[in-house]
């Protein structure tokens, strides 16, 4: 029974946005911690509260084909997203990181073929200007 309850999703229709969503309570504390937004029966967005503090710290968007198109994470769980992933046709093409958690991205990592680093740009003194560029040939 416990297993059943854990896996059971409560189906809710959000009236405000008219976007059907599935909500789940993975740790069974009575508060939702996973939200699935659906379009035509497919999950288009997943939001997760991984540390169960009531704030979303993971957001994933999916294409019609079910491929990840975008992700963002709040790695230090301060309520602000600080790590962003951009995908093209299911392949990671760019990662943007706010390494000092001041809500401004300061590292940009460009990739090719989803896994190889092509270039890293960095704002090492956090003044908003890129001051370090490392390029890696294919
Ligand atoms: Ca959280
Ligand atoms: Ca954060
Ligand atoms: Ca920053």
């Amino acid at each position: 029974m416990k297993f059943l309850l854990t896996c059971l999703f409560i189906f809710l229709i959000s009236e405000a946005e008219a976007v059907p969503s599935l909500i789940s309570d993975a740790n069974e504390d009575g508060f939702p911690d996973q939200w699935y937004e659906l379009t035509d029966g497919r999950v288009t967005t997943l939001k997760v509260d991984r540390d169960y503090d009531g704030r979303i710290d993971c957001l994933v968007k999916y294409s019609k084909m079910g491929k990840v198109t975008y992700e963002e994470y709040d790695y230090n769980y301060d309520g602000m997203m600080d790590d962003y992933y951009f995908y093209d046709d299911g392949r990671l093409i760019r990662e943007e990181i706010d390494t000092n958690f001041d809500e401004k991205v300061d590292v940009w990592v460009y990739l090719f073929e989803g896994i190889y680093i092509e270039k890293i740009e960095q704002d090492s003194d956090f003044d908003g200007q890129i001051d370090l560029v490392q390029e890696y040939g294919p």
Side-chain angles (χ1 to χ4, degrees):
M1 193 60 193
K2 192 161 174 25
F3 175 75
L4 257 181
L5 277 175
T6 308
C7 295
L8 189 69
F9 292 112
I10 305 158
F11 191 74
L12 289 177
I13 305 286
S14 166
E15 288 177 21
E17 299 166 58
V19 176
S21 55
L22 290 164
I23 296 174
S24 102
D25 176 11
N27 70 338
E28 300 180 308
D29 67 349
F31 298 100
D33 41 58
Q34 291 184 26
W35 295 262
Y36 298 81
E37 288 178 10
L38 305 171
T39 303
D40 299 331
R42 285 186 302 263
V43 174
T44 52
T45 306
L46 164 65
K47 296 173 185 172
V48 187
D49 174 12
R50 295 173 298 168
D51 66 344
Y52 311 117
D53 71 343
R55 297 184 297 200
I56 289 162
D57 38 62
C58 166
L59 183 148
V60 186
K61 287 183 182 285
Y62 300 92
S63 70
K64 279 185 179 177
M65 304 302 290
K67 290 178 177 173
V68 174
T69 59
Y70 174 73
E71 288 178 285
E72 60 183 45
Y73 292 92
D74 173 8
Y75 269 114
N76 65 343
Y77 299 113
D78 68 348
M80 311 303 294
M81 296 297 188
D82 41 59
D83 208 335
Y84 308 86
Y85 297 82
F86 300 85
Y87 292 81
D88 180 27
D89 195 27
R91 279 181 173 174
L92 183 63
I93 53 169
R94 192 168 81 252
E95 179 181 2
E96 299 184 355
I97 313 162
D98 172 11
T99 61
N100 66 338
F101 308 116
D102 69 348
E103 299 172 44
K104 290 181 202 127
V105 169
D106 42 70
V107 172
W108 295 260
V109 181
Y110 297 86
L111 298 104
F112 63 97
E113 294 180 6
I115 47 171
Y116 301 107
I117 293 173
E118 185 178 340
K119 184 168 74 167
I120 299 175
E121 294 177 345
Q122 192 176 356
D123 170 15
S124 62
D125 57 0
F126 312 115
D127 68 348
Q129 304 290 322
I130 292 166
D131 46 57
L132 259 174
V133 179
Q134 295 176 66
E135 297 209 44
Y136 304 85

